[in-house]
Structures are given as C-alpha cells and as structure tokens.
Amino acid sequence: MLNLERLRTLDALARHGSVSGAAAGLHITTSAVSQQMAKLEREVGRQLLAKNGRGVRLTDAGRLLAEHAARILSQVELARSDLEAQRGEVVGELRLSAFPTAARGLFPRALSALRERHPALRLRSCELEPERGIAGVVRGDLDLAVVLDWYNKPMALPDGLVKAPILDDPADVAMPVDHRLAGREEVDLAEFAEDEWITWGEGEFCHEWLMFTLRSKGIEPIVGHRAAETHTQLGLVAAGLGVCIAPLLGRHPVPDGVVTVPVRQRVRRHVYVVWRADADRRPSIRAAVKALRAAGESVA
C-alpha cells in the first residue's frame, strides 16, 4: 500500500521542482525529503528520481506517480472537507497569508474574532505578496490567501481555486503638504507626469499595475524610490521625496506632512480571498471567509 505522506513528498517535489523547495513547502528538512523518497522508491520498486546537475529530476515513473499523487491528495482533501462539514465543527489548523496592507488592516480583527468564536481552531498566518499567496494555496502550503487585483488590471487565477470578495479598496494619491496639488478635492493621474513616484518593488503586481496605468495615459513614470510597505512609502512622501498611491486599507495613521487626494477616475483595488475548491466545504474555511468579510466591512 502506498504511504500517503510519501506521496505528499513526491507531490511537493513535482510542484516545487527541487528537494529544498519541497522541504520548505512541507516544513521538513531536505534529509527527510530524501529519506521519504528513498522509502517510496522501495515501495513501488521503481526509480522515481534521477540526478540532474546538482539537483534532481523526476523520472518517467516519478512523473506518472506524481500525477496520481496529486489526484489522490485532492481526494483526501475532499474527504477531510466532507468529514469536517458533517461534524460541523471549526477545528484543526488553518494557514492563511495576506499581502502586507491586508495583513495590517484585516488580520488583527478577523483572526482575533476567529480565535474568540472557535478556540479549537489553530491559526497560522504570514505576509505574502498576492502571487506567492496564490501559489501557496495551489501547492497546498496554505489554506487561504488574501490577494488583490486592480480595477483595470485583473489577476488571473489558476483552475481549481474559489474566491470571495472582501472589499473594494479606494486608493488616493499621497503627496507632501506643500505639493502644488495638495489643496485640490480630486486629481488626475496625468497631472503627475513630472513628479517622482515612490512605488513597490520591481516585478511586484502593484508596481506593474502603476506602470501600466500611467503609461496608458501617455506618461513614462519617473520612479525615484521603491518600498514594499505603504507606511515606508508614506514616510518618503513626508520627506518630500515624491508621491505615491495610497490605498485606504492599512493606511492609517497617515504621517504628518502628507496629504491624500482622491483620483478623479476613482482608482480602486479589489481585495478578495482564495482557497482550493476541494476544501470548499470545510467549516474552518467558511468561518475564516466570514470573519475576513466582516473585517472588510469595518474598513469600507
């Protein structure tokens, strides 16, 4: 009989593409991954891994068994979900991620409410950018991820995921109090063509959105500074080093010396939570979604 944990290790290897990646995803050592794979090879009587430079690759037999492992693990998740649904109890462990401003603006209220209502539920949370959160849910490393896209730039979701909206998050332009547009009731992004922007890291979804949006208006953005955290960006704005996009979620308190002005086109980002479809009936998933949406209502 095939051992489920060894199939889980094989599945992680197939998804991550390396022993170290599988070990990180499973929260075990690389030695444990190698030991599990050696035992699985003995069980099936076939070589599943072959050396590939300094790493390893799956053999044909390894890829074949990994495909079956993915389906078996999905069925196990469905069974777990159905059993939890039948009991109707919010128990076990729930692993969540959120991008930084959502972790700041939603998690304290949502997770404390979950802990109060469901003391038998163990919560584990972390900050991850949307793409990494989605990847973690697909791999099974996470149960839920709070992610986002923008009003004019949706994010594609892989097959097999379910999502629920949390809130539409309005975003203003933050600028120094002595900026020429600081006294306006609303602004147009095109009016900042000559300003330096403080933006997110290269390649991050929000940075790519800002570049896409400004260029669609015929503006080649001048990027002066980059910072992952909204409050770091606002601190740079307060120092007079540029302007930035400042979503409402997780923004407060705004530092002295900074003014936020709404954008005439009503710039918004859509914040939502995603999870695997095969876990849809788990009471813990449903309880977490409910708590996150309630937290979102308090922001909106």
Side-chain angles (χ1 to χ4, degrees), residues 33-67:
V33 170
S34 299
Q35 290 172 19
Q36 290 280 52
M37 290 305 302
K39 291 176 181 177
L40 185 58
E41 287 182 329
R42 289 196 294 271
E43 281 181 351
V44 300
R46 300 289 300 275
Q47 182 180 357
L48 303 176
L49 296 178
K51 288 186 177 181
N52 185 30
R54 295 185 177 180
V56 296
R57 62 173 177 80
L58 294 178
T59 63
D60 290 343
R63 285 194 296 271
L64 178 62
L65 187 55
E67 291 174 4

PDB file of all heavy atoms in Angstrom, residues 33-67:
ATOM      1  N   VAL A  33      13.102  14.730   3.213  1.00  0.00           N
ATOM      2  CA  VAL A  33      12.557  14.564   1.863  1.00  0.00           C
ATOM      3  C   VAL A  33      13.259  13.399   1.161  1.00  0.00           C
ATOM      4  O   VAL A  33      12.617  12.524   0.572  1.00  0.00           O
ATOM      5  CB  VAL A  33      12.705  15.858   1.035  1.00  0.00           C
ATOM      6  CG1 VAL A  33      12.369  15.606  -0.431  1.00  0.00           C
ATOM      7  CG2 VAL A  33      11.824  16.950   1.600  1.00  0.00           C
ATOM      8  N   SER A  34      14.583  13.385   1.229  1.00  0.00           N
ATOM      9  CA  SER A  34      15.351  12.315   0.583  1.00  0.00           C
ATOM     10  C   SER A  34      15.012  10.950   1.167  1.00  0.00           C
ATOM     11  O   SER A  34      14.871   9.958   0.430  1.00  0.00           O
ATOM     12  CB  SER A  34      16.849  12.592   0.723  1.00  0.00           C
ATOM     13  OG  SER A  34      17.202  13.811   0.106  1.00  0.00           O
ATOM     14  N   GLN A  35      14.852  10.886   2.475  1.00  0.00           N
ATOM     15  CA  GLN A  35      14.512   9.611   3.119  1.00  0.00           C
ATOM     16  C   GLN A  35      13.124   9.132   2.698  1.00  0.00           C
ATOM     17  O   GLN A  35      12.936   7.947   2.414  1.00  0.00           O
ATOM     18  CB  GLN A  35      14.574   9.771   4.634  1.00  0.00           C
ATOM     19  CG  GLN A  35      15.983   9.954   5.191  1.00  0.00           C
ATOM     20  CD  GLN A  35      15.975  10.303   6.672  1.00  0.00           C
ATOM     21  OE1 GLN A  35      14.992  10.079   7.363  1.00  0.00           O
ATOM     22  NE2 GLN A  35      17.084  10.851   7.159  1.00  0.00           N
ATOM     23  N   GLN A  36      12.173  10.051   2.637  1.00  0.00           N
ATOM     24  CA  GLN A  36      10.822   9.671   2.226  1.00  0.00           C
ATOM     25  C   GLN A  36      10.810   9.161   0.791  1.00  0.00           C
ATOM     26  O   GLN A  36      10.117   8.187   0.456  1.00  0.00           O
ATOM     27  CB  GLN A  36       9.879  10.875   2.354  1.00  0.00           C
ATOM     28  CG  GLN A  36       9.563  11.298   3.771  1.00  0.00           C
ATOM     29  CD  GLN A  36       8.496  10.414   4.413  1.00  0.00           C
ATOM     30  OE1 GLN A  36       8.601   9.188   4.419  1.00  0.00           O
ATOM     31  NE2 GLN A  36       7.465  11.036   4.936  1.00  0.00           N
ATOM     32  N   MET A  37      11.569   9.810  -0.072  1.00  0.00           N
ATOM     33  CA  MET A  37      11.608   9.388  -1.468  1.00  0.00           C
ATOM     34  C   MET A  37      12.289   8.042  -1.626  1.00  0.00           C
ATOM     35  O   MET A  37      11.881   7.204  -2.440  1.00  0.00           O
ATOM     36  CB  MET A  37      12.305  10.458  -2.318  1.00  0.00           C
ATOM     37  CG  MET A  37      11.492  11.742  -2.474  1.00  0.00           C
ATOM     38  SD  MET A  37       9.838  11.442  -3.127  1.00  0.00           S
ATOM     39  CE  MET A  37      10.243  10.634  -4.672  1.00  0.00           C
ATOM     40  N   ALA A  38      13.343   7.801  -0.852  1.00  0.00           N
ATOM     41  CA  ALA A  38      14.014   6.501  -0.907  1.00  0.00           C
ATOM     42  C   ALA A  38      13.061   5.384  -0.477  1.00  0.00           C
ATOM     43  O   ALA A  38      13.025   4.302  -1.090  1.00  0.00           O
ATOM     44  CB  ALA A  38      15.261   6.525  -0.027  1.00  0.00           C
ATOM     45  N   LYS A  39      12.280   5.626   0.553  1.00  0.00           N
ATOM     46  CA  LYS A  39      11.310   4.630   1.009  1.00  0.00           C
ATOM     47  C   LYS A  39      10.215   4.406  -0.035  1.00  0.00           C
ATOM     48  O   LYS A  39       9.763   3.272  -0.256  1.00  0.00           O
ATOM     49  CB  LYS A  39      10.685   5.074   2.337  1.00  0.00           C
ATOM     50  CG  LYS A  39      11.655   5.044   3.508  1.00  0.00           C
ATOM     51  CD  LYS A  39      11.000   5.587   4.782  1.00  0.00           C
ATOM     52  CE  LYS A  39      11.981   5.576   5.953  1.00  0.00           C
ATOM     53  NZ  LYS A  39      11.389   6.160   7.183  1.00  0.00           N
ATOM     54  N   LEU A  40       9.774   5.488  -0.683  1.00  0.00           N
ATOM     55  CA  LEU A  40       8.739   5.356  -1.706  1.00  0.00           C
ATOM     56  C   LEU A  40       9.252   4.561  -2.900  1.00  0.00           C
ATOM     57  O   LEU A  40       8.520   3.736  -3.476  1.00  0.00           O
ATOM     58  CB  LEU A  40       8.262   6.748  -2.142  1.00  0.00           C
ATOM     59  CG  LEU A  40       7.093   6.792  -3.132  1.00  0.00           C
ATOM     60  CD1 LEU A  40       5.872   6.072  -2.578  1.00  0.00           C
ATOM     61  CD2 LEU A  40       6.756   8.242  -3.479  1.00  0.00           C
ATOM     62  N   GLU A  41      10.521   4.791  -3.282  1.00  0.00           N
ATOM     63  CA  GLU A  41      11.104   4.016  -4.382  1.00  0.00           C
ATOM     64  C   GLU A  41      11.142   2.525  -4.048  1.00  0.00           C
ATOM     65  O   GLU A  41      10.871   1.673  -4.908  1.00  0.00           O
ATOM     66  CB  GLU A  41      12.506   4.534  -4.709  1.00  0.00           C
ATOM     67  CG  GLU A  41      12.498   5.873  -5.429  1.00  0.00           C
ATOM     68  CD  GLU A  41      13.889   6.355  -5.793  1.00  0.00           C
ATOM     69  OE1 GLU A  41      14.846   6.034  -5.052  1.00  0.00           O
ATOM     70  OE2 GLU A  41      14.027   7.031  -6.823  1.00  0.00           O
ATOM     71  N   ARG A  42      11.453   2.201  -2.790  1.00  0.00           N
ATOM     72  CA  ARG A  42      11.458   0.797  -2.396  1.00  0.00           C
ATOM     73  C   ARG A  42      10.043   0.216  -2.425  1.00  0.00           C
ATOM     74  O   ARG A  42       9.843  -0.940  -2.799  1.00  0.00           O
ATOM     75  CB  ARG A  42      12.084   0.640  -1.006  1.00  0.00           C
ATOM     76  CG  ARG A  42      13.595   0.887  -0.973  1.00  0.00           C
ATOM     77  CD  ARG A  42      14.235   0.349   0.299  1.00  0.00           C
ATOM     78  NE  ARG A  42      13.786   1.070   1.489  1.00  0.00           N
ATOM     79  CZ  ARG A  42      14.383   2.156   1.966  1.00  0.00           C
ATOM     80  NH1 ARG A  42      15.438   2.663   1.331  1.00  0.00           N
ATOM     81  NH2 ARG A  42      13.934   2.740   3.065  1.00  0.00           N
ATOM     82  N   GLU A  43       9.064   1.020  -2.023  1.00  0.00           N
ATOM     83  CA  GLU A  43       7.674   0.548  -2.021  1.00  0.00           C
ATOM     84  C   GLU A  43       7.186   0.198  -3.422  1.00  0.00           C
ATOM     85  O   GLU A  43       6.519  -0.821  -3.620  1.00  0.00           O
ATOM     86  CB  GLU A  43       6.746   1.620  -1.423  1.00  0.00           C
ATOM     87  CG  GLU A  43       6.754   1.687   0.089  1.00  0.00           C
ATOM     88  CD  GLU A  43       5.796   2.743   0.603  1.00  0.00           C
ATOM     89  OE1 GLU A  43       5.271   3.530  -0.213  1.00  0.00           O
ATOM     90  OE2 GLU A  43       5.578   2.782   1.825  1.00  0.00           O
ATOM     91  N   VAL A  44       7.501   1.050  -4.393  1.00  0.00           N
ATOM     92  CA  VAL A  44       6.982   0.834  -5.751  1.00  0.00           C
ATOM     93  C   VAL A  44       7.939   0.032  -6.621  1.00  0.00           C
ATOM     94  O   VAL A  44       7.572  -0.410  -7.722  1.00  0.00           O
ATOM     95  CB  VAL A  44       6.654   2.186  -6.432  1.00  0.00           C
ATOM     96  CG1 VAL A  44       5.610   2.939  -5.638  1.00  0.00           C
ATOM     97  CG2 VAL A  44       7.900   3.046  -6.625  1.00  0.00           C
ATOM     98  N   GLY A  45       9.177  -0.143  -6.155  1.00  0.00           N
ATOM     99  CA  GLY A  45      10.141  -0.913  -6.938  1.00  0.00           C
ATOM    100  C   GLY A  45      10.582  -0.228  -8.210  1.00  0.00           C
ATOM    101  O   GLY A  45      10.997  -0.883  -9.167  1.00  0.00           O
ATOM    102  N   ARG A  46      10.524   1.102  -8.241  1.00  0.00           N
ATOM    103  CA  ARG A  46      10.936   1.857  -9.427  1.00  0.00           C
ATOM    104  C   ARG A  46      11.759   3.056  -9.004  1.00  0.00           C
ATOM    105  O   ARG A  46      11.588   3.602  -7.899  1.00  0.00           O
ATOM    106  CB  ARG A  46       9.708   2.368 -10.214  1.00  0.00           C
ATOM    107  CG  ARG A  46       8.770   1.284 -10.714  1.00  0.00           C
ATOM    108  CD  ARG A  46       9.411   0.484 -11.841  1.00  0.00           C
ATOM    109  NE  ARG A  46       9.746   1.319 -12.981  1.00  0.00           N
ATOM    110  CZ  ARG A  46       8.874   1.636 -13.952  1.00  0.00           C
ATOM    111  NH1 ARG A  46       7.611   1.202 -13.873  1.00  0.00           N
ATOM    112  NH2 ARG A  46       9.249   2.370 -14.982  1.00  0.00           N
ATOM    113  N   GLN A  47      12.664   3.485  -9.889  1.00  0.00           N
ATOM    114  CA  GLN A  47      13.425   4.706  -9.626  1.00  0.00           C
ATOM    115  C   GLN A  47      12.540   5.902  -9.958  1.00  0.00           C
ATOM    116  O   GLN A  47      12.040   6.031 -11.076  1.00  0.00           O
ATOM    117  CB  GLN A  47      14.694   4.746 -10.472  1.00  0.00           C
ATOM    118  CG  GLN A  47      15.555   5.980 -10.190  1.00  0.00           C
ATOM    119  CD  GLN A  47      16.822   6.018 -11.038  1.00  0.00           C
ATOM    120  OE1 GLN A  47      17.082   5.093 -11.808  1.00  0.00           O
ATOM    121  NE2 GLN A  47      17.597   7.081 -10.896  1.00  0.00           N
ATOM    122  N   LEU A  48      12.356   6.785  -8.992  1.00  0.00           N
ATOM    123  CA  LEU A  48      11.477   7.944  -9.167  1.00  0.00           C
ATOM    124  C   LEU A  48      12.245   9.245  -9.376  1.00  0.00           C
ATOM    125  O   LEU A  48      11.711  10.191  -9.946  1.00  0.00           O
ATOM    126  CB  LEU A  48      10.555   8.090  -7.953  1.00  0.00           C
ATOM    127  CG  LEU A  48       9.691   6.867  -7.628  1.00  0.00           C
ATOM    128  CD1 LEU A  48       8.908   7.099  -6.346  1.00  0.00           C
ATOM    129  CD2 LEU A  48       8.749   6.547  -8.785  1.00  0.00           C
ATOM    130  N   LEU A  49      13.498   9.274  -8.907  1.00  0.00           N
ATOM    131  CA  LEU A  49      14.340  10.459  -9.036  1.00  0.00           C
ATOM    132  C   LEU A  49      15.630  10.121  -9.743  1.00  0.00           C
ATOM    133  O   LEU A  49      16.169   9.024  -9.588  1.00  0.00           O
ATOM    134  CB  LEU A  49      14.663  11.062  -7.664  1.00  0.00           C
ATOM    135  CG  LEU A  49      13.522  11.618  -6.817  1.00  0.00           C
ATOM    136  CD1 LEU A  49      14.061  12.127  -5.486  1.00  0.00           C
ATOM    137  CD2 LEU A  49      12.793  12.719  -7.553  1.00  0.00           C
ATOM    138  N   ALA A  50      16.123  11.078 -10.528  1.00  0.00           N
ATOM    139  CA  ALA A  50      17.426  10.924 -11.179  1.00  0.00           C
ATOM    140  C   ALA A  50      18.213  12.212 -10.976  1.00  0.00           C
ATOM    141  O   ALA A  50      17.628  13.304 -10.866  1.00  0.00           O
ATOM    142  CB  ALA A  50      17.252  10.635 -12.668  1.00  0.00           C
ATOM    143  N   LYS A  51      19.541  12.099 -10.898  1.00  0.00           N
ATOM    144  CA  LYS A  51      20.372  13.291 -10.717  1.00  0.00           C
ATOM    145  C   LYS A  51      20.272  14.184 -11.951  1.00  0.00           C
ATOM    146  O   LYS A  51      20.211  13.713 -13.087  1.00  0.00           O
ATOM    147  CB  LYS A  51      21.826  12.893 -10.476  1.00  0.00           C
ATOM    148  CG  LYS A  51      22.052  12.277  -9.099  1.00  0.00           C
ATOM    149  CD  LYS A  51      23.533  12.030  -8.847  1.00  0.00           C
ATOM    150  CE  LYS A  51      23.756  11.475  -7.441  1.00  0.00           C
ATOM    151  NZ  LYS A  51      25.195  11.250  -7.164  1.00  0.00           N
ATOM    152  N   ASN A  52      20.253  15.489 -11.694  1.00  0.00           N
ATOM    153  CA  ASN A  52      20.184  16.480 -12.771  1.00  0.00           C
ATOM    154  C   ASN A  52      21.101  17.639 -12.393  1.00  0.00           C
ATOM    155  O   ASN A  52      20.684  18.585 -11.737  1.00  0.00           O
ATOM    156  CB  ASN A  52      18.743  16.957 -12.967  1.00  0.00           C
ATOM    157  CG  ASN A  52      18.611  17.896 -14.152  1.00  0.00           C
ATOM    158  OD1 ASN A  52      19.361  17.803 -15.121  1.00  0.00           O
ATOM    159  ND2 ASN A  52      17.658  18.819 -14.075  1.00  0.00           N
ATOM    160  N   GLY A  53      22.378  17.530 -12.767  1.00  0.00           N
ATOM    161  CA  GLY A  53      23.359  18.513 -12.317  1.00  0.00           C
ATOM    162  C   GLY A  53      23.535  18.399 -10.815  1.00  0.00           C
ATOM    163  O   GLY A  53      23.803  17.316 -10.285  1.00  0.00           O
ATOM    164  N   ARG A  54      23.364  19.507 -10.105  1.00  0.00           N
ATOM    165  CA  ARG A  54      23.450  19.483  -8.647  1.00  0.00           C
ATOM    166  C   ARG A  54      22.120  19.135  -7.999  1.00  0.00           C
ATOM    167  O   ARG A  54      22.051  18.979  -6.774  1.00  0.00           O
ATOM    168  CB  ARG A  54      23.931  20.847  -8.132  1.00  0.00           C
ATOM    169  CG  ARG A  54      25.352  21.184  -8.556  1.00  0.00           C
ATOM    170  CD  ARG A  54      25.793  22.485  -7.920  1.00  0.00           C
ATOM    171  NE  ARG A  54      27.181  22.819  -8.256  1.00  0.00           N
ATOM    172  CZ  ARG A  54      27.812  23.901  -7.826  1.00  0.00           C
ATOM    173  NH1 ARG A  54      27.169  24.772  -7.057  1.00  0.00           N
ATOM    174  NH2 ARG A  54      29.068  24.122  -8.168  1.00  0.00           N
ATOM    175  N   GLY A  55      21.070  19.064  -8.793  1.00  0.00           N
ATOM    176  CA  GLY A  55      19.746  18.769  -8.253  1.00  0.00           C
ATOM    177  C   GLY A  55      19.248  17.412  -8.708  1.00  0.00           C
ATOM    178  O   GLY A  55      20.025  16.509  -9.032  1.00  0.00           O
ATOM    179  N   VAL A  56      17.935  17.254  -8.703  1.00  0.00           N
ATOM    180  CA  VAL A  56      17.298  16.018  -9.131  1.00  0.00           C
ATOM    181  C   VAL A  56      16.141  16.354 -10.054  1.00  0.00           C
ATOM    182  O   VAL A  56      15.649  17.484 -10.097  1.00  0.00           O
ATOM    183  CB  VAL A  56      16.779  15.203  -7.924  1.00  0.00           C
ATOM    184  CG1 VAL A  56      17.910  14.745  -7.038  1.00  0.00           C
ATOM    185  CG2 VAL A  56      15.742  15.986  -7.132  1.00  0.00           C
ATOM    186  N   ARG A  57      15.725  15.352 -10.795  1.00  0.00           N
ATOM    187  CA  ARG A  57      14.532  15.473 -11.628  1.00  0.00           C
ATOM    188  C   ARG A  57      13.720  14.199 -11.478  1.00  0.00           C
ATOM    189  O   ARG A  57      14.249  13.153 -11.079  1.00  0.00           O
ATOM    190  CB  ARG A  57      14.909  15.680 -13.097  1.00  0.00           C
ATOM    191  CG  ARG A  57      15.697  14.532 -13.694  1.00  0.00           C
ATOM    192  CD  ARG A  57      15.912  14.683 -15.189  1.00  0.00           C
ATOM    193  NE  ARG A  57      16.739  13.600 -15.714  1.00  0.00           N
ATOM    194  CZ  ARG A  57      16.291  12.385 -16.004  1.00  0.00           C
ATOM    195  NH1 ARG A  57      14.991  12.087 -15.819  1.00  0.00           N
ATOM    196  NH2 ARG A  57      17.104  11.448 -16.467  1.00  0.00           N
ATOM    197  N   LEU A  58      12.439  14.276 -11.789  1.00  0.00           N
ATOM    198  CA  LEU A  58      11.589  13.099 -11.752  1.00  0.00           C
ATOM    199  C   LEU A  58      11.825  12.251 -12.997  1.00  0.00           C
ATOM    200  O   LEU A  58      11.923  12.777 -14.108  1.00  0.00           O
ATOM    201  CB  LEU A  58      10.116  13.497 -11.677  1.00  0.00           C
ATOM    202  CG  LEU A  58       9.655  14.212 -10.397  1.00  0.00           C
ATOM    203  CD1 LEU A  58       8.184  14.576 -10.518  1.00  0.00           C
ATOM    204  CD2 LEU A  58       9.875  13.340  -9.174  1.00  0.00           C
ATOM    205  N   THR A  59      11.913  10.957 -12.812  1.00  0.00           N
ATOM    206  CA  THR A  59      11.960  10.051 -13.953  1.00  0.00           C
ATOM    207  C   THR A  59      10.565   9.947 -14.555  1.00  0.00           C
ATOM    208  O   THR A  59       9.592  10.503 -14.030  1.00  0.00           O
ATOM    209  CB  THR A  59      12.423   8.662 -13.502  1.00  0.00           C
ATOM    210  OG1 THR A  59      11.445   8.141 -12.584  1.00  0.00           O
ATOM    211  CG2 THR A  59      13.785   8.725 -12.822  1.00  0.00           C
ATOM    212  N   ASP A  60      10.442   9.207 -15.649  1.00  0.00           N
ATOM    213  CA  ASP A  60       9.117   8.990 -16.242  1.00  0.00           C
ATOM    214  C   ASP A  60       8.178   8.346 -15.232  1.00  0.00           C
ATOM    215  O   ASP A  60       7.012   8.741 -15.108  1.00  0.00           O
ATOM    216  CB  ASP A  60       9.224   8.117 -17.492  1.00  0.00           C
ATOM    217  CG  ASP A  60       9.892   8.845 -18.653  1.00  0.00           C
ATOM    218  OD1 ASP A  60       9.979  10.089 -18.595  1.00  0.00           O
ATOM    219  OD2 ASP A  60      10.317   8.168 -19.613  1.00  0.00           O
ATOM    220  N   ALA A  61       8.699   7.358 -14.501  1.00  0.00           N
ATOM    221  CA  ALA A  61       7.884   6.707 -13.469  1.00  0.00           C
ATOM    222  C   ALA A  61       7.534   7.689 -12.363  1.00  0.00           C
ATOM    223  O   ALA A  61       6.415   7.672 -11.821  1.00  0.00           O
ATOM    224  CB  ALA A  61       8.630   5.502 -12.889  1.00  0.00           C
ATOM    225  N   GLY A  62       8.472   8.576 -12.024  1.00  0.00           N
ATOM    226  CA  GLY A  62       8.223   9.575 -10.992  1.00  0.00           C
ATOM    227  C   GLY A  62       7.133  10.547 -11.399  1.00  0.00           C
ATOM    228  O   GLY A  62       6.253  10.892 -10.594  1.00  0.00           O
ATOM    229  N   ARG A  63       7.169  10.993 -12.659  1.00  0.00           N
ATOM    230  CA  ARG A  63       6.130  11.915 -13.136  1.00  0.00           C
ATOM    231  C   ARG A  63       4.768  11.235 -13.165  1.00  0.00           C
ATOM    232  O   ARG A  63       3.747  11.829 -12.800  1.00  0.00           O
ATOM    233  CB  ARG A  63       6.495  12.445 -14.518  1.00  0.00           C
ATOM    234  CG  ARG A  63       7.608  13.498 -14.495  1.00  0.00           C
ATOM    235  CD  ARG A  63       7.693  14.228 -15.828  1.00  0.00           C
ATOM    236  NE  ARG A  63       8.065  13.323 -16.915  1.00  0.00           N
ATOM    237  CZ  ARG A  63       9.312  13.068 -17.270  1.00  0.00           C
ATOM    238  NH1 ARG A  63      10.311  13.637 -16.602  1.00  0.00           N
ATOM    239  NH2 ARG A  63       9.581  12.252 -18.271  1.00  0.00           N
ATOM    240  N   LEU A  64       4.754   9.980 -13.590  1.00  0.00           N
ATOM    241  CA  LEU A  64       3.490   9.240 -13.642  1.00  0.00           C
ATOM    242  C   LEU A  64       2.882   9.101 -12.253  1.00  0.00           C
ATOM    243  O   LEU A  64       1.684   9.364 -12.044  1.00  0.00           O
ATOM    244  CB  LEU A  64       3.721   7.856 -14.256  1.00  0.00           C
ATOM    245  CG  LEU A  64       2.504   6.923 -14.336  1.00  0.00           C
ATOM    246  CD1 LEU A  64       1.432   7.528 -15.229  1.00  0.00           C
ATOM    247  CD2 LEU A  64       2.912   5.549 -14.840  1.00  0.00           C
ATOM    248  N   LEU A  65       3.717   8.704 -11.291  1.00  0.00           N
ATOM    249  CA  LEU A  65       3.208   8.534  -9.934  1.00  0.00           C
ATOM    250  C   LEU A  65       2.831   9.879  -9.321  1.00  0.00           C
ATOM    251  O   LEU A  65       1.864   9.974  -8.553  1.00  0.00           O
ATOM    252  CB  LEU A  65       4.252   7.828  -9.066  1.00  0.00           C
ATOM    253  CG  LEU A  65       3.793   7.439  -7.647  1.00  0.00           C
ATOM    254  CD1 LEU A  65       2.528   6.583  -7.691  1.00  0.00           C
ATOM    255  CD2 LEU A  65       4.906   6.720  -6.906  1.00  0.00           C
ATOM    256  N   ALA A  66       3.562  10.946  -9.667  1.00  0.00           N
ATOM    257  CA  ALA A  66       3.240  12.276  -9.142  1.00  0.00           C
ATOM    258  C   ALA A  66       1.869  12.731  -9.620  1.00  0.00           C
ATOM    259  O   ALA A  66       1.124  13.386  -8.871  1.00  0.00           O
ATOM    260  CB  ALA A  66       4.313  13.288  -9.561  1.00  0.00           C
ATOM    261  N   GLU A  67       1.509  12.412 -10.858  1.00  0.00           N
ATOM    262  CA  GLU A  67       0.177  12.764 -11.362  1.00  0.00           C
ATOM    263  C   GLU A  67      -0.902  12.059 -10.549  1.00  0.00           C
ATOM    264  O   GLU A  67      -1.917  12.662 -10.184  1.00  0.00           O
ATOM    265  CB  GLU A  67       0.061  12.400 -12.840  1.00  0.00           C
ATOM    266  CG  GLU A  67       0.928  13.260 -13.755  1.00  0.00           C
ATOM    267  CD  GLU A  67       0.906  12.770 -15.193  1.00  0.00           C
ATOM    268  OE1 GLU A  67       0.160  11.805 -15.486  1.00  0.00           O
ATOM    269  OE2 GLU A  67       1.629  13.350 -16.021  1.00  0.00           O
TER     270      GLU A  67
END
